Amino acid sequence: MKATQPGHRGIKLTLAYDGSGFCGWQRQKDERSVQEELETALAKIHGHPVSLTGSGRTDSGVHARGQVASFHSDLASIPVDKFVPAINSLVGKDIRVLASEEVAPGFNARFDARLRTYRYFIIPGDRALPSQRLYAWSLRHWPDLGRLNAMAACLRGEQDFTAFCLPRDESLSRYRFIHQAGFFMEGGQIVFEISANAFLWRMVRSLCGSLIDFEAQSLPCEHFRQVLESRDRHLAGKTAPAQGLFLWKVEY
């Protein structure tokens, strides 16, 4: 985000979106993105281009319930809470601004985030309804949550997650600090919830897919730990499909 101009206010937005119709969060040429749609709305409101910074770049097909974004506004006349209806009236129904608040001018939704939480939804036993197919991963078998959680316990703390990210990830460091990770049942679905300071490219989907894959093969916890420590992407399991993943909340 550019340096703040005198008289500019820092604005923080909390967002939800259905990622099914987007190429992802980040603006991309000739494709529909969440960032571009919101920036187009903000430009109409302000009468000039406005740059929006998101807390994280969700991939194509990935959803958000608690994405956070920030921008600078030079409109002193509009009350901060009015950004909610103003933006919502200009974007598609698959994006909703849930809240807007004024923050310090130097606030940055990406770099000031302390904790990011994702949830991945799984419907076991081949019971997914047609209406659920864009929002969960349908599995034929019923995974053992005890074995899944035993493997997920290996993730906690600061570790190198090279084995569970795309080789094209340009992060300077592949180390991330996982605060909590685990599986639980909710409303007939299995939920994988994971919280960290930050995530690598497709890291959550790779971790979830590998854990489900290794559990289905009855592999021991030690095998998962060895793959994690190997830093070898080729040893990881399948990558879970995008539609089950939600950026759940971001804490500052």
Side-chain angles (χ1 to χ4, degrees), residues 179-196:
H179 289 257
Q180 64 89 19
F183 292 80
F184 59 91
M185 291 295 300
E186 183 177 86
Q189 298 184 71
I190 296 173
V191 182
F192 174 56
E193 183 175 271
I194 184 167
S195 302

Side-chain angles (χ1 to χ4, degrees), residues 144-203:
D144 183 324
L145 265 63
R147 297 186 65 248
L148 285 173
N149 281 320
M151 287 189 284
C154 301
L155 297 172
R156 298 181 189 126
E158 186 173 39
Q159 302 186 70
D160 187 323
F161 285 93
T162 298
F164 298 101
C165 76
L166 290 187
R168 300 194 302 273
D169 189 293
E170 298 178 351
S171 302
L172 296 178
S173 172
R174 301 286 177 85
Y175 279 85
R176 295 295 184 269
F177 191 98
I178 305 296
H179 289 257
Q180 64 89 19
F183 292 80
F184 59 91
M185 291 295 300
E186 183 177 86
Q189 298 184 71
I190 296 173
V191 182
F192 174 56
E193 183 175 271
I194 184 167
S195 302
N197 60 339
F199 292 93
L200 298 166
W201 192 3
R202 295 195 184 169
M203 175 177 158

Side-chain angles (χ1 to χ4, degrees), residues 32 37 88 90-96:
R32 184 176 181 236
E37 188 142 336
N88 284 340
L90 295 170
V91 296
K93 297 301 183 182
D94 45 7
I95 301 177
R96 289 293 87 182

Side-chain angles (χ1 to χ4, degrees), residues 65-82:
R65 179 183 179 273
Q67 170 73 286
V68 175
S70 58
F71 65 96
H72 292 140
S73 176
D74 57 2
L75 289 179
S77 59
I78 181 170
V80 66
D81 62 309
K82 296 304 182 183

